[in-house]
Amino acid sequence: MNIRNISTRTIVFAIITIFVGLSGCERIPQIVEPTPSEEIAIGVVLTQTGRNASVFGKYVEEAFELALNEINDSQLAGSNLKFITVDDQGTVEGAIAAYNKLIKEDGVSVILGPTTSSATKQAFPIAKEHQIVAISPTSAARGLSAISDFTFRVALTTDVLVPNGVEATHAKLGYQNVAMLYDETDVFSTDGDAAVREALTAKGVVILGTETFQGGETDDFTEQLTRIKALNPDAIFVSSLPGEKPEILRKGHELGISAPFIIRTLTEADVEAAGEAAEGAITFVGWGTAVDTPGNQAFIEKYTATYKIAPNNYAARAYATLYILAEAIANAGSTDAAAIRDALANISDFDTILGKFSFDENGDAIYDPKILIVKNGKLEIFE
């Protein structure tokens, strides 16, 4: 018989007995402190500098911050979320560099962003290569989510918004002859222009002429809009990133164009910047301050109180994006990218400020599109 083994077992048993006895006594403090909840790092690609920083980056960053605080306070994801943010400087190259840093240096399994379709088109293949989840809250050109089963988008895509918008506005306004104006350097804009053409052609609407510009360049649109005015169209369709929209409306008003401008994703900030020139402009969107969806008015009030400015479309989509991700992480019960991907794919009729939200088989968003019109300086429901 091995006396050492018997002695060792006896001592261990005695220690365990003492520990159990102590842990059962309410007056004895716990020896082991509780382990803090795990933090989950989320990569965020933002346009903090460069073109569109004030209209994309600022609002998206603030909305992410607001949602992050709410989600962590309520532990909706089951763990605290934290951001590792990289500035893409408003360029495709910057977005590619941001993705590579977040994946290779920071080791994240989820990235939120980028914001534009041009950047998303180049960044999503990187997510595919490394098998990490990527969600763009704002890009909307067709076909980008289908790049990988790890890639998702929260904005309503062109093939959802445009046909629905053309159907409703054509029925109400009865336009038969239209003109087109779009940014030839931007994926969102070129895709939008192509989709509008397809929808108009299906309706038998005549496109009298098309004008282009290059976003970010100095251009007051005088030449393009002067030529469009001479065509005397019933409506003018514009596909553009935010920066140029107010100036297009202002110049159209200055030239005395009476035909309505139909511009996808026009925001309250665009309307304010354009002033009276925005009156009567129509937009196809996925969200608006006039929309009565779950929690929308509370979101608007809290965002406005926190940042002293009303949220725009991009802020709303960013806010909803983080809540959708938190739901998926909670359902996945894991930080593994494949598990989060599967949980995202199974999101169905989830209540958001955008409405009942689901993803389709390609990872694109499903919820009700909206059509708004500027009346008395405010975006209201188009009826």
Side-chain angles (χ1 to χ4, degrees), residues 91-111:
T91 68
V92 171
E93 295 78 13
I96 292 170
Y99 259 61
N100 283 322
K101 177 192 180 297
L102 288 166
I103 295 169
K104 297 175 183 178
E105 296 180 24
D106 300 306
V108 300
S109 58
V110 180
I111 295 178

Side-chain angles (χ1 to χ4, degrees), residues 151-166:
T151 52
F152 299 83
R153 289 183 298 162
V154 171
L156 287 176
T157 51
T158 300
D159 51 337
V160 174
L161 276 181
V162 170
N164 176 80
V166 168

Side-chain angles (χ1 to χ4, degrees), residues 140 142 155-166 191 195 264 284-286 360 364-370:
R142 292 172 287 187
L156 287 176
T157 51
T158 300
D159 51 337
V160 174
L161 276 181
V162 170
N164 176 80
V166 168
D191 181 61
R264 191 152 52 115
F284 309 155
V285 295
D360 70 11
D364 282 330
I366 302 173
Y367 53 97
D368 291 336
K370 290 88 179 173

Side-chain angles (χ1 to χ4, degrees), residues 2-281:
N2 190 326
I3 301 299
R4 179 178 295 177
N5 288 345
I6 293 174
S7 299
T8 301
R9 285 197 295 269
T10 302
I11 293 168
V12 169
F13 179 78
I15 292 172
I16 292 172
T17 302
I18 294 169
F19 180 80
V20 171
L22 288 173
S23 65
C25 181
E26 292 181 355
R27 289 177 296 175
I28 303 296
Q30 290 190 4
I31 296 173
V32 181
E33 292 292 328
T35 303
S37 61
E38 179 186 5
E39 271 195 330
I40 301 174
I42 307 295
V44 180
V45 178
L46 280 173
T47 300
Q48 295 175 309
T49 58
R51 185 184 175 208
N52 293 316
S54 62
V55 288
F56 276 135
K58 168 184 164 61
Y59 287 93
V60 171
E61 185 169 20
E62 290 175 349
F64 276 155
E65 178 184 55
L66 182 63
L68 181 73
N69 291 334
E70 293 175 357
I71 289 166
N72 283 346
D73 286 346
S74 59
Q75 286 291 288
L76 287 178
S79 300
N80 280 340
L81 306 180
K82 71 172 184 178
F83 289 152
I84 301 175
T85 301
V86 182
D87 178 13
D88 68 12
Q89 302 175 353
T91 68
V92 171
E93 295 78 13
I96 292 170
Y99 259 61
N100 283 322
K101 177 192 180 297
L102 288 166
I103 295 169
K104 297 175 183 178
E105 296 180 24
D106 300 306
V108 300
S109 58
V110 180
I111 295 178
L112 302 180
T115 50
T116 68
S117 294
S118 295
T120 300
K121 185 177 181 179
Q122 300 302 319
F124 270 10
I126 302 172
K128 178 181 180 180
E129 176 187 355
H130 294 278
Q131 301 287 275
I132 64 106
V133 172
I135 311 172
S136 173
T138 54
S139 67
R142 292 172 287 187
L144 301 184
S145 297
I147 287 173
S148 167
D149 59 356
F150 281 84
T151 52
F152 299 83
R153 289 183 298 162
V154 171
L156 287 176
T157 51
T158 300
D159 51 337
V160 174
L161 276 181
V162 170
N164 176 80
V166 168
E167 179 71 30
T169 55
H170 183 260
K172 178 78 171 180
L173 303 178
Y175 45 76
Q176 293 301 318
N177 300 285
V178 304
M180 314 284 282
L181 176 64
Y182 73 96
D183 180 351
E184 63 183 354
T185 65
D186 172 63
V187 171
F188 168 81
S189 303
T190 55
D191 181 61
D193 180 76
V196 170
R197 289 173 183 277
E198 293 165 12
L200 293 175
T201 299
K203 287 288 182 187
V205 175
V206 176
I207 299 173
L208 299 173
T210 301
E211 296 290 335
T212 65
F213 62 92
Q214 296 185 350
E217 301 293 329
T218 302
D219 194 335
D220 71 357
F221 306 102
T222 299
E223 293 183 6
Q224 296 96 324
L225 290 172
T226 297
R227 287 191 290 266
I228 284 176
K229 181 182 179 181
L231 297 173
N232 194 30
D234 300 324
I236 302 167
F237 283 84
V238 178
S239 295
S240 167
L241 288 177
E244 286 73 33
K245 293 173 186 176
E247 182 58 30
I248 289 170
L249 291 171
R250 285 194 297 265
K251 184 56 64 173
H253 182 70
E254 179 184 315
L255 293 172
I257 294 175
S258 58
F261 282 85
I262 301 177
I263 307 178
R264 191 152 52 115
T265 319
L266 195 67
T267 69
E268 282 82 357
D270 295 330
V271 172
E272 183 178 352
E276 62 178 349
E279 197 69 16

Side-chain angles (χ1 to χ4, degrees), residues 152 328 331 339-349 357-359:
F152 299 83
N331 292 341
I340 295 171
R341 172 203 61 191
D342 293 343
L344 282 167
N346 288 322
I347 292 283
S348 180
D349 289 334
F357 186 98
S358 305
F359 286 112

